[in-house]
Amino acid sequence: MASDTAISTLTMPRPVDFPPLAGDPVSAESWKTLMAIMDAVAPSIKRADSLSADSAAKMSTVNLSKEEYEASLASLRQYAAPSEDGLKQQDLFEAYLAEKPSENPVFEKLLKNILSHVPPAKKRKLDMVLSLLGTRGGSLLLTGYITPLTSLSIPDRTKILHSWRTSALFALRGLFVTFTTLGKLVHVRTSAYHSPLTGFPATPASWVANASFPYEFLDFSSPSFAPSSSQNGTIEIDTDVVIIGSGCGAGVVTHRLATTFGRSLRVLVLEKGRYFDASHFPLSQGVGFSALMEAGGVIESEDGSITVTAGSTFGGGGTVNWSASLQTQHFVRKEWAQERKLPFFESEAFQACLDRVCGLMGVSDAKVVQNHGNRVLLEGARKLGYAARTVPQNCRGEAHEDGYCGMGCWRGEKMGPVNGWFPEAAKKGEVRFVQGMKVDRVLFGKKGKKKGDKKVAVGVAGTWTPTGRDGTSVKVMVKAKKVVVSAGTLWSPVVLMNSGISNPHLGKNLKLHPANFVTAVFEHETKPWEGACLTSVINSFEDLDGKGHGVKIEALCMLPSFGLTLLPWVSGLDYKLMTAKYRHLNTYISLARDRDSGYIYRDPETGTPQVVYTPSEYDRGNIMVGVVAICKILYVQGAKEIHPSLPGFRPFVRSSTTKSTSSATSSPASDALADMDVDTDKAITDLAFLTWLADLKAHGNRSPQTTFGSAHQMGTCRMGATASEGVVDPRGRVWATEGLYVADASVFPSASGVNPMITNMAISDWIAQGVCKELVEEGAAAVRAGRDVMARL
């Protein structure tokens, strides 16, 4: 880590480069076709009379008439950041419109990085589709055009994308989602002109370099770790407890062990991702997802119907989440205690765990300052009579006005694993950390006949790769008395599968809190990047079936990488003009507590977790209730435009003469809508809006063309009262094993229904208490600590 003196001279975050490619992208010919599609999603836009007679240039450009081009410039001028230099601003507008993916090296670099994470089988299918599109016969089959896609004009490519969107074939509808999603997110993250145009500061205006806890990571390339000839090139080390992963569950377990036993117990934390200190944060929009998220932040379910975002860095999800700290609700606790036969969840002990983790992080809403996006929710909910509340933050009771926190907390205020749990653990206990260590499997051995047929965990084996420099990977074996798997809902089941664990629930019961999105454009500036990310929630629709299944409505973190990639795509011109309104936008989430499940499996070639999940009709119906409610809130809050992320559905654009609300009396408008399939509010009497709402509900959110996202993964190592009901027992121990635990959100019996951090931490604290007791009982800790430890537990 850099010295404080060096840090104090920094004026902006330290740069971070893209991680190495995980594999080769598609073939050269397929790449040419793919870039032709990207050029249609975010095309170069010019005046037709400004182009030369070169037909190729015209084919690869959106050619606007003088009147159309001037109208586009007028739209940019209306929403752009203020400027005193009109001529310079005009040049910026024209450069933004003319920008083109295939001429942007950073666009291609990021796209290759994302594609490098695509599983080989899926990559081969993608390559095959792109190869077909580059031939006359294949193009005719997939597009209806006999001309290869690379030789078609941008308008024709756009027509093809929409023909896929409306196709009766599920696979073609999936292609529309895949290609438009890729084009949108890479354009937003790599555009050279979007930030200057909208006034978004890539570095927070108040940024200063902050010092981080001085972590020291084991370096297995050091001569002190050189393997002996008897170890077959494998480095062997010894510890008491080894923890796989460094996310929220791992942080709490490490803290509990260290503060209970002090330096009489050795703990080793293994993380496959990379550590970044506060001087790197927030990471840039281009590199951030690739460096901090699993698979570059784009994990697409097998059928393409949902995109999953999961942290993959030191601190895991606790490094990139938005500080929301909600405790598990009573109806979820009742379900887990009574239906799942796990009485702990209705006990005082579980509440004590919830309170303990919140107390140690200083969870509070006392100093929360609502930014524009969150105020819209609270004020709109009040007008419509919806139940809403402020969301507590894990920021030591202080205000945390950091809209950039999703790319890393440069202020160091978010008390996740990196800033809270691990530092105190390292100060009080014998804790060591490893980054770049991918654990392949748990090792088992025998500890005597009394163990019966149970497998006894004795360590882990994996591969360590140097981070931040060139180097050779080495095999590492860690011997330990206890193994805690905290690799997250995606990876924990894979580690157990690799280890020979056989349980019918392993990898199953995947819950994702699937979400749809609605974006609003306001007449006034919102500067959506300012203020805290997620500080309000609407609860009125969380129990739509009387069994705890429904939706919560929340604000989205409004960094361009998040909000703008979720906007509906109609055409390249429309998308560029829409993203240019960023300074006036806010986006909202209708997030379901899903009743229905998916599952995880290991890719047979790479061994990486693959997601099989399609939002069910039941859960999609609940999500639509939330979408409709968001639209009503945005209407009464005066939104100028309302854009649900539902491909093929038109936005609502308010008439300049329409008022937001009227008196709560019957009107011809409301009477006309009385028999329509939409839940009208007497406070809203605008016939145009109510008709649009009815059309919205009728349009629906069919898969896979609708944009579904997930940032919450749960359940793949479900806790169960018996081995026939779950992967781990009520204390987090893997059934049919000794010394092996799972402590992360994968043990949730079903979806938490709230942002899962606090639930994850509380359960992990309970599991860690059990680990401590077993260590004392087995004499693994120092004898002198035994009685005192048991008394405290």
Side-chain angles (χ1 to χ4, degrees):
M1 177 181 168
S3 69
D4 289 347
T5 302
I7 284 177
S8 67
T9 64
L10 294 175
T11 58
M12 60 186 300
R14 297 181 187 277
V16 174
D17 199 3
F18 288 101
L21 294 183
D24 293 329
V26 294
S27 67
E29 283 302 310
S30 293
W31 183 258
K32 182 179 177 182
T33 302
L34 178 60
M35 290 309 299
I37 296 173
M38 296 299 99
D39 281 347
V41 175
S44 175
I45 300 160
K46 297 181 179 180
R47 270 178 52 173
D49 58 10
S50 70
L51 296 172
S52 66
D54 182 2
S55 60
K58 290 186 176 181
M59 292 288 283
S60 60
T61 304
V62 173
N63 308 308
L64 300 183
S65 67
K66 179 180 179 181
E67 292 73 21
E68 291 170 329
Y69 193 76
E70 290 300 325
S72 299
L73 293 177
S75 177
L76 296 181
R77 194 171 294 110
Q78 180 179 0
Y79 293 102
S83 173
E84 295 180 359
D85 189 336
L87 292 176
K88 187 175 181 180
Q89 191 179 47
Q90 177 85 359
D91 291 340
L92 175 62
F93 294 166
E94 293 183 357
Y96 173 72
L97 291 175
E99 195 174 27
K100 185 177 183 180
S102 60
E103 295 175 354
N104 182 351
V106 184
F107 185 106
E108 296 201 24
K109 189 173 184 178
L110 176 55
L111 183 57
K112 286 181 179 179
N113 191 278
I114 291 171
L115 291 179
S116 74
H117 296 283
V118 174
K122 200 166 187 177
K123 196 181 297 184
R124 287 192 290 270
K125 291 179 181 178
L126 176 63
D127 204 356
M128 180 185 69
V129 168
L130 292 170
S131 295
L132 286 172
L133 290 170
T135 66
R136 292 167 64 88
S139 182
L140 180 62
L141 176 67
L142 293 175
T143 71
Y145 290 79
I146 197 168
T147 304
L149 186 139
T150 51
S151 299
L152 292 172
S153 68
I154 296 295
D156 284 336
R157 296 177 214 173
T158 301
K159 289 177 183 177
I160 289 168
L161 287 168
H162 281 294
S163 72
W164 290 342
R165 175 181 62 79
T166 58
S167 173
L169 298 176
F170 191 95
L172 290 182
R173 299 203 304 274
L175 285 181
F176 169 81
V177 173
T178 296
F179 289 134
T180 56
T181 298
L182 282 173
K184 288 188 297 181
L185 67 86
V186 180
H187 164 70
V188 165
R189 295 174 191 172
T190 62
S191 170
Y193 304 106
H194 183 267
S195 291
L197 187 151
T198 61
F200 168 69
T203 299
S206 57
W207 189 89
V208 294
N210 286 303
S212 297
F213 180 78
Y215 286 100
E216 294 182 5
F217 293 90
L218 298 185
D219 183 351
F220 292 124
S221 64
S222 167
S224 61
F225 287 107
S228 67
S229 58
S230 63
Q231 294 171 328
N232 296 319
T234 298
I235 294 171
E236 294 184 5
I237 59 174
D238 185 72
T239 190
D240 293 316
V241 180
V242 61
I243 300 174
I244 306 169
S246 66
C248 292
V252 172
V253 173
T254 304
H255 183 273
R256 171 67 78 168
L257 291 170
T259 55
T260 299
F261 293 106
R263 299 195 178 278
S264 64
L265 186 81
R266 297 168 300 164
V267 180
L268 183 63
V269 178
L270 308 177
E271 168 57 49
K272 68 180 178 63
R274 179 182 171 185
Y275 168 69
F276 300 95
D277 68 25
S279 69
H280 293 92
F281 292 145
L283 266 61
S284 72
Q285 300 298 294
V287 174
F289 274 72
S290 297
L292 299 174
M293 310 291 185
E294 186 71 31
V298 186
I299 305 171
E300 199 175 61
S301 63
E302 195 164 71
D303 66 0
S305 61
I306 189 167
T307 300
V308 176
T309 302
S312 182
T313 184
F314 189 71
T319 294
V320 297
N321 70 21
W322 307 341
S323 303
S325 301
L326 295 165
Q327 293 199 9
T328 325
Q329 291 172 282
H330 68 282
F331 55 84
V332 176
R333 294 177 62 172
K334 180 179 179 181
E335 176 194 312
W336 292 357
Q338 298 182 18
E339 294 183 29
R340 303 294 183 184
K341 305 172 188 174
L342 299 166
F344 162 67
F345 289 107
E346 280 193 310
S347 72
E348 184 179 348
F350 181 52
Q351 186 58 52
C353 291
L354 290 166
D355 292 340
R356 177 177 183 270
V357 299
C358 288
L360 287 172
M361 293 189 294
V363 170
S364 173
D365 62 3
K367 294 187 179 180
V368 168
V369 178
Q370 305 287 354
N371 67 0
H372 178 272
N374 286 279
R375 284 200 310 273
V376 164
L377 279 191
L378 293 178
E379 293 173 5
R382 179 182 58 80
K383 291 176 182 177
L384 295 171
Y386 298 157
R389 62 168 294 191
T390 296
V391 175
Q393 311 286 293
N394 63 330
C395 302
R396 297 178 294 192
E398 299 298 326
H400 183 58
E401 298 181 64
D402 182 10
Y404 294 74
C405 204
M407 289 289 102
C409 187
W410 63 274
R411 295 177 184 271
E413 295 171 343
K414 183 169 60 178
M415 291 294 102
V418 174
N419 297 324
W421 299 94
F422 286 142
E424 187 174 356
K427 292 174 184 176
K428 294 185 175 181
E430 189 67 28
V431 182
R432 295 181 295 171
F433 303 94
V434 180
Q435 59 176 326
M437 174 71 180
K438 180 180 175 294
V439 173
D440 298 318
R441 67 190 187 282
V442 177
L443 302 174
F444 294 100
K446 295 291 185 181
K447 284 191 177 180
K449 295 181 180 179
K450 67 177 183 179
K451 296 297 181 180
D453 295 328
K454 289 185 177 180
K455 298 194 290 187
V456 181
V458 296
V460 302
T463 303
W464 176 81
T465 303
T467 57
R469 66 180 191 276
D470 294 332
T472 303
S473 298
V474 296
K475 297 292 184 182
V476 178
M477 179 185 297
V478 180
K479 295 180 180 179
K481 300 175 180 68
K482 301 290 180 183
V483 177
V484 181
V485 182
S486 297
T489 295
L490 301 181
W491 275 101
S492 285
V494 170
V495 171
L496 295 182
M497 291 173 187
N498 291 341
S499 307
I501 300 299
S502 178
N503 183 290
H505 294 284
L506 186 58
K508 305 298 193 298
N509 312 302
L510 173 66
K511 306 293 186 180
L512 291 180
H513 283 172
N516 283 161
F517 310 90
V518 182
T519 297
V521 180
F522 293 88
E523 187 72 41
H524 53 274
E525 291 183 347
T526 64
K527 295 185 179 179
W529 58 85
E530 294 185 347
C533 299
L534 195 171
T535 55
S536 61
V537 61
I538 293 176
N539 298 317
S540 282
F541 311 99
E542 64 188 7
D543 189 10
L544 294 172
D545 63 358
K547 298 180 180 179
H549 300 110
V551 292
K552 283 182 170 57
I553 296 171
E554 297 177 339
L556 185 75
C557 173
M558 281 305 294
L559 290 178
S561 293
F562 291 101
L564 300 184
T565 63
L566 301 167
L567 292 170
W569 188 89
V570 177
S571 69
L573 173 60
D574 177 86
Y575 186 67
K576 279 196 168 183
L577 295 180
M578 187 66 186
T579 56
K581 298 177 183 179
Y582 174 52
R583 195 176 182 85
H584 292 248
L585 295 183
N586 281 121
T587 300
Y588 300 90
I589 314 168
S590 174
L591 179 149
R593 179 178 184 243
D594 34 346
R595 182 194 71 176
D596 301 319
S597 306
Y599 63 92
I600 298 291
Y601 73 91
R602 282 178 300 175
D603 184 88
E605 297 178 64
T606 65
T608 56
Q610 302 304 314
V611 174
V612 179
Y613 187 103
T614 305
S616 69
E617 182 178 0
Y618 183 89
D619 292 325
R620 287 190 287 107
N622 286 343
I623 293 170
M624 276 302 297
V625 172
V627 168
V628 169
I630 292 171
C631 293
K632 292 178 181 179
I633 289 169
L634 296 175
Y635 179 85
V636 300
Q637 287 301 104
K640 183 178 179 181
E641 301 173 19
I642 302 173
H643 296 258
S645 292
L646 302 173
F649 187 71
R650 69 191 187 280
F652 176 78
V653 180
R654 186 187 297 271
S655 166
S656 60
T657 60
T658 302
K659 295 181 179 180
S660 298
T661 61
S662 65
S663 61
T665 58
S666 179
S667 70
S670 57
D671 292 342
L673 272 290
D675 296 327
M676 298 182 71
D677 187 20
V678 65
D679 179 22
T680 63
D681 289 280
K682 289 184 178 180
I684 302 175
T685 59
D686 179 359
L687 179 59
F689 177 70
L690 294 175
T691 302
W692 179 84
L693 271 186
D695 292 343
L696 169 68
K697 191 171 182 181
H699 181 276
N701 53 357
R702 190 171 57 142
S703 292
Q705 64 268 42
T706 299
T707 300
F708 286 90
S710 166
H712 303 160
Q713 306 90 42
M714 303 152 279
T716 52
C717 297
R718 185 168 74 183
M719 184 179 287
T722 66
S724 64
E725 297 172 291
V727 177
V728 302
D729 73 8
R731 295 305 301 243
R733 298 169 293 201
V734 175
W735 287 105
T737 71
E738 293 282 352
L740 178 60
Y741 309 79
V742 179
D744 56 31
S746 72
V747 304
F748 288 12
S750 64
S752 62
V754 293
N755 303 64
M757 176 176 66
I758 298 300
T759 303
N760 178 359
M761 288 181 166
I763 296 175
S764 296
D765 186 51
W766 172 249
I767 292 169
Q769 290 181 49
V771 177
C772 291
K773 289 180 179 179
E774 288 195 6
L775 284 167
V776 172
E777 291 166 356
E778 295 172 6
V783 174
R784 61 181 170 77
R787 288 187 178 180
D788 293 340
V789 169
M790 289 301 289
R792 290 198 298 272
L793 294 171

